Amino acid sequence: MKRIYMDHAATTPMAEEVIEAMRSAFVEIFGNASSLHQPGLEARAALEDARERVAKFIGAEAEEVYFNSGGTESDNAAIKGVALSNKDREDRGGRHIITTSIEHPAVLEPCRYLERQGFEVTYLPVTKEGLVEIETLESAIRDDTILISMMHANNEIGTIQPIAEAGEIAKARGIAFHTDAVQTVGKIPAKVDDLGVDLLSISSHKLHGPKGVGALYIREGTEIEPIMHGGGHERGMRPGTENVPGIIGLATAAELAEKSLDEDMVRIAGMRDRLAEFVLERVEDVWVNGSRTKRLPNNLNLGFSYIEGEALLLRLDAEGIAVSTGSACSSKKTVASHVLTAIGLKPEEAHGSLRITLGRENTDEEVDYTAKAIVDVAESLLAMSPFRK
């Protein structure tokens, strides 16, 4: 059976060019980038070249890019690091943080941890489309607000937030501004100056790079403390010997994404819309979760009445199609998605969601096959649903 993969928000298959670049690095660049001998210097040169390439991709300076293990570490480092650095400052100390109710757990859990340490966190509500209203953000800012963390686009429903407008507000008030851009880097433009962010999180495996590698952009001058301690790697921000082959893989993936970004956005959005319309026209009681316009080009989150999303997922998997019901990090939990309940869905409605996230290797033929399979499976499940009148 041919497999069709449409769960790119969870992870992406590694590009062949990335695999080749990493294979060469594993063999030829084995030195420790902190060593002073020739193998070490070669590793250092490759590391700094990769830093330049990733920095160029997001419109940053090389010295503003810090490599780490991925998006979760980046989010933790940004949120905890800024909080620790600013809590006792005489000129602008404070213990108030603003984030949103639909953030990834990699943001929400550090915020909850900081609440237990005496910080206060405001969780902004969102509209039924999953959007944060700028007026709501402005009204939440206090004199002791030290950090705003707002994801660039949601990992479940794909809604793109007004990051540039929020960045202007944060800058005017002198508040550090972080965005989790794990789902957007490589899928839509994500230049740090255009977004107006001070910190930005990247995960390699979301853009056809290797797992276990990521980066945190930290704008020069941003007050932040390291949350890990050890050696002086990554200019003191992240101790531990750098994963040079993985970092080279990330840089290669970034370059590949940049080359095809404009073309991919149009083509993938077209496939997504065709899939959506096919299902919406043929299945009763189905809807799109999130904004229809302000969303990632590859994301489609469908809600089905009277059907369990997990049943849909398993039946589609039996047909050779890989999709999900929500965030891969919480896919084994039985509670309703906090994102879907935040946009106003009842728990039973939230449990009927199906997330389809396309990638650049998907084809029109795969989309057509998947669309028909979703309709067939949904109709079959609806026919046997005890909840349907």
Side-chain angles (χ1 to χ4, degrees), residues 80-100:
K80 294 177 184 176
V82 169
L84 293 173
S85 177
N86 285 272
K87 65 176 182 177
D88 295 323
R89 284 177 54 188
E90 293 184 2
D91 58 334
R92 188 182 172 81
R95 289 174 173 263
H96 181 234
I97 297 167
I98 298 173
T99 189
T100 84

Side-chain angles (χ1 to χ4, degrees), residues 77-386:
I79 293 165
K80 294 177 184 176
V82 169
L84 293 173
S85 177
N86 285 272
K87 65 176 182 177
D88 295 323
R89 284 177 54 188
E90 293 184 2
D91 58 334
R92 188 182 172 81
R95 289 174 173 263
H96 181 234
I97 297 167
I98 298 173
T99 189
T100 84
S101 58
I102 62 169
E103 296 293 314
H104 190 278
V107 168
L108 294 176
E109 290 304 320
C111 286
R112 290 171 184 142
Y113 166 80
L114 289 171
E115 285 182 293
R116 296 194 294 271
Q117 309 306 312
F119 289 82
E120 292 183 64
V121 180
T122 296
Y123 299 91
L124 300 177
V126 294
T127 68
K128 64 180 181 180
E129 293 187 333
L131 286 165
V132 173
E133 295 180 319
I134 289 298
E135 297 77 12
T136 304
L137 170 62
E138 288 184 295
S139 64
I141 295 175
R142 308 185 332 202
D143 290 339
D144 62 342
T145 302
I146 56 174
L147 173 67
I148 298 170
S149 181
M150 182 187 299
M151 67 194 330
H152 192 184
N154 187 262
N155 51 300
E156 291 191 36
I157 60 175
T159 299
I160 301 172
Q161 300 296 346
I163 296 299
E165 294 90 332
E168 291 178 1
I169 293 169
K171 183 178 180 181
R173 299 291 294 269
I175 301 168
F177 184 36
H178 165 253
T179 189
D180 178 341
V182 164
Q183 290 294 336
T184 58
V185 170
K187 298 182 181 71
I188 61 174
K191 303 292 186 182
V192 293
D193 286 343
D194 293 341
L195 297 175
V197 296
D198 300 304
L199 306 108
L200 180 143
S201 300
I202 299 172
S203 182
S204 168
H205 77 101
K206 305 293 188 179
L207 62 148
H208 300 277
K211 297 176 179 65
V213 181
L216 175 64
Y217 159 77
I218 306 175
R219 186 178 295 276
E220 184 180 2
T222 301
E223 296 288 340
I224 186 169
E225 290 285 336
I227 62 170
M228 296 172 62
H229 301 89
H233 310 83
E234 292 303 291
R235 301 185 301 289
M237 272 302 299
R238 203 269 185 177
T241 302
E242 292 93 345
N243 175 8
V244 175
I247 290 167
I248 290 172
L250 166 57
T252 305
E255 288 183 333
L256 290 171
E258 187 167 34
K259 288 178 182 177
S260 62
L261 184 62
D262 292 339
E263 177 184 345
D264 287 344
M265 287 172 58
V266 174
R267 186 180 68 85
I268 293 173
M271 292 193 296
R272 175 205 63 194
D273 292 342
R274 193 170 76 253
L275 194 159
E277 294 308 319
F278 189 94
V279 176
L280 291 169
E281 289 174 0
R282 291 165 175 80
V283 180
E284 295 181 10
D285 298 310
V286 62
W287 65 90
V288 175
N289 291 313
S291 171
R292 291 299 300 270
T293 56
K294 298 177 181 177
R295 73 184 302 124
L296 290 171
N298 73 321
N299 178 289
L300 176 62
N301 191 305
L302 295 172
F304 296 82
S305 293
Y306 317 120
I307 300 177
E308 280 284 339
E310 185 173 325
L312 271 168
L313 183 156
L314 294 174
R315 288 281 294 272
L316 290 170
D317 186 55
E319 298 294 326
I321 302 166
V323 292
S324 75
T325 56
S327 169
C329 301
S330 58
S331 60
K332 296 181 180 179
K333 296 181 180 179
T334 57
V335 296
S337 159
H338 72 284
V339 175
L340 297 181
T341 55
I343 64 174
L345 268 62
K346 298 175 183 177
E348 60 268 25
E349 292 174 323
H351 279 299
S353 70
L354 189 72
R355 184 184 70 176
I356 305 148
T357 45
L358 291 83
R360 61 175 179 246
E361 80 277 6
N362 288 133
T363 65
D364 290 330
E365 292 74 20
E366 290 177 337
V367 168
D368 293 341
Y369 178 86
T370 300
K372 186 177 185 306
I374 291 173
V375 170
D376 291 345
V377 169
E379 289 180 342
S380 173
L381 291 173
L382 280 170
M384 65 178 71
S385 174

